[in-house]
């Protein structure tokens, strides 16, 4: 049924042609029926339409093919052939049926005032001609039938038009409500992002300005008043820690936005591992690297994930392992996998910080785990026996992913 409706909507002219053939068949069949049989019954085959009646029926049905394209002209044409049949037909053929269908189409496709005017005019003209000019007496049931059928056609068309307008209004109201909800959601998101950006600007600007001032004070009094310099550096440390906490909280909110990040430079990989290690060495963290002199090239997603794992792990060592700590990085190709291991020799007595645990609220290890898991790999992290921390990632070389990401967690 649904496919038939779709076909009818896609081929309206073909549908109207089928309707016209049906109306023609009904008119021809009705022209052989005598409504004045014995005891008021209908008698089939009691009369035969003449040639003019057949031509008028064909013309009226043919006009109905174009009833959607030009409903008023089709109503005028079918009314004209109906008037000719009403005046000349003896016995009378039901050519007026084509005018009934045309009047229904006008009522269904126009507005109510037009339906009233055109419907009343059509009913009055056809009924008056049938009663006053036709060969039958004015009170014949065929004449009353013309009045009834044209009235019902106008009423039915108006009802169909009203229902279509009601359904269309409901659909438009639903679409408008949906657009309103989407616009409201976008407005709220924009306002929330603006609020976050404003708060972030205020917090970062305040803390960075404080760090700048206290660092200048420390540099100025370092030689003459070291105690005051230490106090200034303590303020610098406190302000920077507060800024990092605020940034972590803001990142926690922004990670839910789902906005893709557009890379502005080529994605890094293990070919830049030496440069990465050099930056940590310059920062005072001794790092040893063990990897094969020549290794097969990795897929871009795997290469990026391996680099980010090493970067985040060494950052954690620098932040949490304490002074005097050392780190070791190992990159080994085992079969169809590449294994990355980062270990450090942090002190035994120092507890593992909360943001280095898997159930923490930070995004360091969580980001590493997301990257590795997205590639079908495995990541294990935890403290080492005897002190320090270990990060071990296994990445399949033939991994495929659609969302490798390029942002540092």
């Amino acid at each position: 049924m649904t496919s038939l409706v779709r076909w009818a909507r896609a081929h309206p002219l073909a549908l109207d042609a089928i309707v016209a053939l049906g109306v023609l068949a009904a008119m021809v069949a009705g022209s052989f029926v005598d409504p004045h049989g014995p005891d008021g019954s209908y008698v089939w085959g009691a009369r035969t339409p003449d040639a003019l009646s057949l031509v008028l029926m064909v013309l009226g049905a043919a006009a109905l093919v174009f009833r959607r394209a030009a409903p008023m002209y089709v109503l005028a044409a079918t009314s004209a052939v109906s008037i000719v049949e009403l005046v000349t037909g003896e016995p009378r053929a039901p050519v007026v049926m084509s005018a009934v269908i045309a009047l229904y189409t006008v009522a269904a496709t126009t507005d109510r005032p037009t339906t009233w005017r055109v419907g009343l005019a059509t009913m009055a003209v056809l009924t008056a001609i049938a009663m006053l000019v036709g060969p039958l007496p004015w009170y014949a049931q065929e004449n009353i039938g013309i009045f009834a059928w044209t009235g019902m056609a106008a009423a039915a068309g108006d009802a169909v038009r009203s229902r279509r307008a009601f359904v269309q209004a409901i659909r438009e109201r639903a679409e408008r409500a949906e657009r309103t909800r989407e616009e409201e959601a976008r407005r709220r998101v924009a306002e929330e992002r603006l609020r976050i950006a404003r708060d972030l600007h205020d917090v970062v600007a305040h803390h960075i300005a404080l760090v700048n001032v206290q660092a200048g004070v420390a540099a100025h009094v370092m030689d003459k008043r070291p105690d005051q310099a230490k106090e200034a550096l303590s303020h610098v440390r406190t302000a920077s820690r507060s800024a990092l906490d605020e940034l972590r909280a803001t990142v926690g909110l922004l990670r839910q936005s789902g906005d893709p990040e557009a890379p502005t430079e080529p994605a890094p990989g293990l070919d830049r591992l030496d440069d990465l290690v050099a930056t940590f060495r310059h920062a005072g963290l001794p790092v040893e690297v063990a990897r094969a002199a020549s290794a097969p090239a990795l897929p871009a997603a795997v290469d990026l994930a391996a680099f980010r794992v090493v970067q985040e792990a060494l950052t954690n060592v620098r932040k949490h392992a304490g002074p005097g700590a050392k780190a070791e990085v190992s990159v080994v190709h085992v079969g169809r996998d590449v294994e990355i291991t980062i270990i450090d020799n942090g002190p035994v007595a120092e507890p593992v910080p909360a943001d280095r645990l898997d159930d923490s609220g930070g995004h360091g290890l969580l980001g590493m785990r997301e990257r590795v898991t997205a590639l079908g790999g495995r990541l294990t992290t935890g403290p080492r026996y005897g002190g320090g921390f270990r990060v071990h990632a296994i990445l399949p070389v033939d991994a495929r992913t659609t969302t490798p990401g390029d942002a540092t967690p």
Side-chain angles (χ1 to χ4, degrees), residues 325-345:
K326 297 181 181 180
E328 297 180 8
V329 178
S330 172
V331 181
V332 180
H333 291 262
V334 181
R336 301 182 64 85
D337 300 332
V338 57
E339 298 187 10
I340 299 98
T341 306
I342 303 93
I343 60 176
D344 64 75
N345 61 344

Side-chain angles (χ1 to χ4, degrees), residues 102-115:
L103 180 57
Y104 164 84
T105 305
V106 170
T109 55
T110 59
D111 56 294
R112 180 162 294 172
T114 302
T115 300

Side-chain angles (χ1 to χ4, degrees), residues 268-270 296-310 330-342 367-380 391-401 404:
L270 291 180
L298 297 175
V302 178
D303 205 18
L304 172 62
F307 180 86
R308 295 302 191 195
V309 168
V310 175
S330 172
V331 181
V332 180
H333 291 262
V334 181
R336 301 182 64 85
D337 300 332
V338 57
E339 298 187 10
I340 299 98
T341 306
I342 303 93
M368 284 193 289
R369 188 177 302 281
E370 288 176 350
R371 288 183 182 275
V372 174
T373 304
L375 294 170
R378 299 188 302 276
L379 178 73
T380 57
V391 176
H392 181 66
I394 301 177
L395 295 170
V397 175
D398 58 350
R400 296 180 181 178
T401 181

Side-chain angles (χ1 to χ4, degrees), residues 10 52 55 103 121 173 224 227 235 270 287 292 314-315 342 366:
L52 179 60
V55 172
L103 180 57
R173 190 180 300 113
K224 298 181 180 180
D227 292 337
H235 289 308
L270 291 180
V287 182
L314 291 179
T315 300
I342 303 93
L366 178 61

